[in-house]
Amino acid sequence: MAISPTFSARPRVLVVGGGYVGLYTALNLQKKIAKSGGIVTLVDPLPYMTYQPFLPEVAGGNIEARHAVVSHRKHLKHTELIQGSVTSIDHENRTAVIAPVDGATPFELPYHDVVMAAGAITRTFPIKGLAESGIGLKTIEEAVALRNQVLSLIEQAGTETDPAVRKRHLTFVVVGGGFAGIETIAELEDMARAAVKLNNRVEQSELRFVLVEAMGRIMPEVTEKQAVWVVEHLRSRGMEVLLNTSLDNAEGDGIKLINLPDKSVAQEFDADTLIWTAGVMANPMIRATGFPLEPRGRVSTNTNLQVTGEFGVIENAWAAGDIAAVPDVTGGLPDGTCVPNAQHALRQAKRLAKNLWASRFNKPLKGYKHKNLGAVAGFGEWQGVAKIMGIQLKGPLAWLAHRGYHGLAMPTVERKFRVIMDWFVTMLAGRDLAQLENLQAPRRTFVAAATPAPKPAAKPAEVAKEEVTASK
């Protein structure tokens, strides 16, 4: 396979993935590497980084979708950007195979250092109908589609005369009781209530929101007392919270839930909206790299964020974020690795960039160490829960802490400003409740206008006249 002549021949730091780790690694290295005669190259199928903690608020109409993403091109001006996927890595020969998103012929790209930052994807299970009926909440596209779907179904229900279909339109199911699931169902419920207030053909009592969690409690990141309060809060808003319950089947429009551990049938009903937020897993592309993996499918690293194998450190190979099993010296997951969240990813990226640069000069590397300061979650307007340095908050104070933390954590000043302005406008004018139709088929209206109308059928008298003329 030939090496593409289109890209720079300078010594390259190849960053695989443009999420939290990829963006911040490139931001912190691009100028330094360029001044030393090299170049940073970032490869990702998308031209932007998504700030995933904001996806529930995008779905709920609090934040404009474009404001929850950070453009690579705008903020990585000294980085070589390739929109594509790394399909394999030959680290012994320091080359990677890149497949462009436009379907062009894959090509090889040489590198000096490689940074594995491909993050995580939604973790699913082999449940019948899930792939056909479900939608995740891991991408900005899913958040926008979900928002439009919920609002559109409320509109459809307003003119639906079949009671069963109407009930199906207004039933919304979220599987997964972690932060993503709780924030998603709370934001969507808030938005749906606001939309129904403007529609006199739909009653608030017709809305049905169901949260399904396989464990005996939700949100393991907060205390058990706080988790119980969250369940009570959701139920006080009319939502159903089903613990020790699992999704068994989602074929067609049907939802079949079973009790755990005996697997008896808990409920069966129809729903047009099934949202899956039941965890994540390391991006499977890591399997094509040849780097050593630990049991959960993540690449093995040491505290310096260097990829490590059976025989020690693999030189010039680095990894961080959700794709990496980074040791947590302060105590993290049961296996002693860092929890896969944005708080760790952002800090690991900065440490990785410093260590990679130090390695160029054979300077000592510093291990990654960060004690989790806590967790914050928002549940719609003025509602939330938080545990910050042992301090437990709920209600408006937790909601403010949630917005304060994520407002500061949003990458780049420009994006911080846009998000804060969105919040300010929402406080004054309320959520944006306008759904956008036909996003999957944007040419539909034009095609209909440009297609000639069928010729109307001839009237009986005209047909007779034509027959007489023909006989003559």
Side-chain angles (χ1 to χ4, degrees):
M1 184 176 294
I3 294 175
S4 174
T6 308
F7 302 101
S8 173
R10 289 179 285 170
R12 175 177 285 104
V13 174
L14 177 63
V15 180
V16 182
Y20 305 109
V21 174
L23 176 71
Y24 273 94
T25 298
L27 273 173
N28 285 276
L29 282 176
Q30 56 180 356
K31 290 183 180 180
K32 293 177 181 178
I33 296 295
K35 288 179 180 179
S36 70
I39 190 168
V40 174
T41 300
L42 186 146
V43 181
D44 193 280
L46 299 174
Y48 50 77
M49 169 262 190
T50 303
Y51 190 70
Q52 293 176 3
F54 282 157
L55 293 181
E57 290 201 61
V58 170
N62 274 330
I63 295 176
E64 161 62 36
R66 291 172 302 167
H67 299 169
V69 301
V70 179
S71 167
H72 293 152
R73 188 70 64 182
K74 181 178 178 64
H75 296 283
L76 298 176
K77 296 178 181 178
H78 302 279
T79 295
E80 183 180 58
L81 299 172
I82 302 176
Q83 200 170 338
S85 300
V86 173
T87 59
S88 66
I89 288 177
D90 179 1
H91 190 63
E92 185 176 351
N93 294 304
R94 301 292 196 274
T95 58
V97 177
I98 313 294
V101 293
D102 60 5
T105 303
F107 58 88
E108 282 189 348
L109 202 64
Y111 63 81
H112 181 272
D113 288 273
V114 64
V115 177
M116 301 309 302
I121 64 170
T122 300
R123 180 189 62 185
T124 59
F125 301 104
I127 299 172
K128 291 182 179 179
L130 178 59
E132 295 76 19
S133 304
I135 183 172
L137 195 64
K138 197 79 172 59
T139 68
I140 199 70
E141 293 81 6
E142 288 174 322
V144 172
L146 188 54
R147 172 177 174 272
N148 291 328
Q149 178 174 320
V150 171
L151 293 172
S152 182
L153 286 170
I154 290 173
E155 288 296 321
Q156 292 176 40
T159 56
E160 179 57 58
T161 56
D162 185 328
V165 175
R166 184 183 178 100
K167 187 175 182 179
R168 189 183 75 215
H169 286 344
L170 297 175
T171 300
F172 309 96
V173 181
V174 176
V175 179
F179 267 52
I182 299 297
E183 290 185 315
T184 297
I185 196 170
E187 289 287 349
L188 289 178
E189 192 266 353
D190 238 13
M191 181 183 71
R193 299 287 177 197
V196 168
K197 285 181 181 178
L198 303 178
N199 190 330
N200 57 16
R201 295 192 298 270
V202 180
E203 299 293 331
Q204 296 280 352
S205 59
E206 294 182 276
L207 292 173
R208 184 186 183 190
F209 283 85
V210 182
L211 177 73
V212 180
E213 170 52 47
M215 304 298 289
R217 60 162 288 183
I218 61 172
M219 302 177 72
E221 299 88 347
V222 300
T223 67
E224 186 169 355
K225 183 179 179 181
Q226 286 179 307
V228 170
W229 176 84
V230 173
V231 170
E232 293 174 349
H233 169 76
L234 296 179
R235 287 173 174 166
S236 72
R237 289 165 56 173
M239 290 178 259
E240 299 174 41
V241 180
L242 307 178
L243 304 178
N244 296 309
T245 306
S246 177
L247 176 66
D248 183 65
N249 192 295
E251 292 179 294
D253 300 316
I255 301 292
K256 180 181 178 181
L257 305 177
I258 58 174
N259 295 310
L260 297 176
D262 63 6
K263 296 186 178 181
S264 60
V265 176
Q267 292 190 35
E268 291 187 86
F269 54 86
D270 291 340
D272 280 335
T273 303
L274 172 61
I275 307 163
W276 182 271
T277 62
V280 297
M281 60 180 286
N283 194 320
M285 66 78 52
I286 193 65
R287 300 168 191 163
T289 64
F291 290 132
L293 306 181
E294 47 86 70
R296 296 179 60 172
R298 299 172 297 171
V299 61
S300 299
T301 73
N302 59 18
T303 56
N304 295 333
L305 304 171
Q306 298 168 293
V307 177
T308 56
E310 182 181 355
F311 302 105
V313 170
I314 298 176
E315 297 295 334
N316 304 105
W318 310 79
D322 295 355
I323 204 169
V326 179
D328 188 347
V329 297
T330 67
L333 292 174
D335 62 1
T337 60
C338 291
V339 177
N341 61 23
Q343 189 176 141
H344 279 304
L346 295 174
R347 290 169 172 81
Q348 287 172 8
K350 295 176 182 179
R351 172 47 49 198
L352 188 156
K354 290 178 180 178
N355 281 350
L356 191 155
W357 182 245
S359 72
R360 293 291 179 91
F361 306 97
N362 294 317
K363 292 183 177 180
L365 308 185
K366 186 177 180 180
Y368 173 76
K369 180 181 180 180
H370 172 70
K371 184 173 177 59
N372 197 326
L373 300 179
V376 291
F379 304 148
E381 294 182 359
W382 298 102
Q383 294 296 334
V385 67
K387 184 180 71 171
I388 306 171
M389 299 179 68
I391 301 174
Q392 300 178 30
L393 301 173
K394 62 182 181 182
L397 285 178
W399 181 81
L400 289 171
H402 168 263
R403 291 209 159 175
Y405 173 77
H406 287 298
L408 291 173
M410 180 69 191
T412 77
V413 173
E414 172 242 348
R415 258 11 191 193
K416 285 181 172 67
F417 177 76
R418 291 181 187 273
V419 167
I420 291 171
M421 288 305 297
D422 282 344
W423 284 337
F424 181 71
V425 171
T426 299
M427 288 181 68
L428 295 178
R431 295 172 184 269
D432 189 342
L433 299 175
Q435 74 265 29
L436 301 177
E437 299 289 352
N438 298 329
L439 289 179
Q440 300 300 320
R443 295 181 62 251
R444 182 179 298 171
T445 302
F446 175 78
V447 171
T451 302
K455 187 177 180 180
K459 296 179 181 180
E462 292 174 341
V463 173
K465 184 178 180 180
E466 288 177 359
E467 289 176 349
V468 171
T469 301
S471 64
K472 289 180 178 180

